[in-house]
Amino acid sequence: YKYIVAKELSGSSDVTYRIELLKNGYSGASEQLEGADNYFEHTYNKINPRNPFENPVQSSQLDMIIHVQGQDELDLLEEIFAGDEDDYILQKKIDGSVVWQGKVLNDLLEYDEGDYPFPGRIIAKDLSYLKGVEYPLEENDEKIIVTLAGALNELGFGLDIYTYTNWVENNQSDTSDDFLNNVYNDTYAFRNYGSSTEQGDTTISQYDVIDRICRNYNLILRQSNNAWHLFHISALDDPTSVKRYVYNSSGAQQSSSNVDLTISVDSTDLY
């Protein structure tokens, strides 16, 4: 639909960033816009090293910053503002590969009202969007990973889930498997209990469900490299050989393997 391109020198080579604004149902040609200021900003919730589970759900935000040079760009911003939150997503690519996507929040648009040109900021979020999506009042026994997958699927991204865990449940028959694929929870617990029969139970958000699971099991969740990643810090004791379990977006396990999570950092590279 619309996109901007930015390049950055990393070591001796260029890294190409492409920020795409995608419109639901659009099938026409794409159009490049001119980026403004630093073109885009991508931020995550910060991890407190003294209390890493203070923010276990690592929500992130991507800002696409364009030059509003005339009525066409202004019409685009006003179209987004008048649309629904399911109409647009922002997608971030690095050297042609998708690494992140998020829902555009039309009420967070930022732009000046004055003479052209001026910067316009289109803002998208991933996990924090789920704070506005209710978890239904239901009672099911299901695997932890299936509950997580169901909540994440409310975003509609269809991303795989990678888990890096080393906990083992006492009654787990296969101790080499991911405990998230073996332990069941009762979804009846995901609600606010009413204080009396007159004041019945009320719903919580899909974000709250994810947050409760992460806090209960010491997990840290974030989106990167076009997938959801769930970490146990204790599983990273030897980062050259970490057990990784891969699930599809429905929470069905696809594979498992040991992976090396280390990277080489050159002093001239930008991070």
Side-chain angles (χ1 to χ4, degrees):
Y1 184 56
K2 311 287 184 182
Y3 68 95
I4 59 174
V5 174
K7 289 191 175 183
E8 182 179 85
L9 181 63
S10 179
S12 59
S13 60
D14 284 335
V15 176
T16 300
Y17 298 92
R18 178 172 164 133
I19 311 300
E20 298 178 339
L21 173 67
L22 306 180
K23 183 179 181 180
N24 187 24
Y26 181 78
S27 60
S30 58
E31 177 188 359
Q32 183 172 355
L33 301 174
E34 181 177 319
D37 298 334
N38 52 350
Y39 287 68
F40 72 92
E41 294 176 359
H42 191 189
T43 57
Y44 285 86
N45 286 348
K46 291 183 178 180
I47 292 180
N48 180 355
R50 296 182 182 275
N51 182 10
F53 303 109
E54 184 178 23
N55 292 305
V57 181
Q58 291 287 290
S59 302
S60 53
Q61 174 178 314
L62 178 65
D63 295 15
M64 179 186 190
I65 310 167
I66 65 171
H67 253 142
V68 181
Q69 304 181 78
Q71 192 62 44
D72 287 346
E73 291 84 6
L74 185 59
D75 286 345
L76 170 64
L77 296 179
E78 291 178 344
E79 177 187 326
I80 295 172
F81 181 77
D84 294 327
E85 289 186 346
D86 288 329
D87 285 348
Y88 300 91
I89 66 170
L90 281 187
Q91 188 167 264
K92 178 184 178 183
K93 290 182 177 178
I94 298 180
D95 291 335
S97 298
V98 177
V99 296
W100 188 91
Q101 52 191 308
K103 295 266 193 181
V104 172
L105 303 182
N106 52 5
D107 58 342
L108 295 182
L109 280 175
E110 296 179 6
Y111 59 94
D112 297 328
E113 294 183 359
D115 295 333
Y116 302 118
F118 52 80
R121 187 179 292 259
I122 302 168
I123 299 172
K125 296 188 177 185
D126 59 355
L127 292 164
S128 59
Y129 172 86
L130 296 174
K131 292 180 179 180
V133 182
E134 289 186 347
Y135 186 85
L137 296 176
E138 58 185 16
E139 185 174 0
N140 295 314
D141 286 325
E142 61 186 19
K143 295 178 180 180
I144 297 172
I145 190 65
V146 172
T147 304
L148 285 167
L152 293 171
N153 266 337
E154 290 294 325
L155 287 163
F157 299 159
L159 299 180
D160 287 344
I161 304 170
Y162 294 176
T163 69
Y164 311 80
T165 65
N166 63 349
W167 284 17
V168 177
E169 199 271 332
N170 284 338
N171 300 313
Q172 189 171 323
S173 58
D174 183 359
T175 57
S176 65
D177 195 11
D178 184 5
F179 85 100
L180 297 171
N181 194 44
N182 285 265
V183 177
Y184 287 71
N185 57 39
D186 184 351
T187 59
Y188 185 87
F190 297 121
R191 63 182 66 203
N192 292 318
Y193 295 106
S195 58
S196 65
T197 55
E198 290 79 16
Q199 295 180 331
D201 300 341
T202 57
T203 59
I204 62 174
S205 71
Q206 299 281 1
Y207 180 93
D208 289 333
V209 171
I210 295 171
D211 186 69
R212 288 186 185 185
I213 291 175
C214 286
R215 292 181 186 277
N216 287 344
Y217 301 106
N218 283 4
L219 294 163
I220 293 175
L221 171 68
R222 65 160 42 199
Q223 180 193 172
S224 62
N225 296 325
N226 203 33
W228 300 111
H229 296 263
L230 273 163
F231 293 93
H232 269 153
I233 293 177
S234 54
L236 308 180
D237 183 52
D238 178 6
T240 64
S241 182
V242 181
K243 191 64 172 288
R244 180 178 70 188
Y245 305 92
V246 179
Y247 299 85
N248 64 18
S249 59
S250 298
Q253 190 176 118
Q254 306 298 296
S255 64
S256 64
S257 61
N258 286 348
V259 294
D260 184 351
L261 297 182
T262 61
I263 58 172
S264 298
V265 180
D266 188 283
S267 61
T268 60
D269 283 349
L270 298 177
Y271 286 90

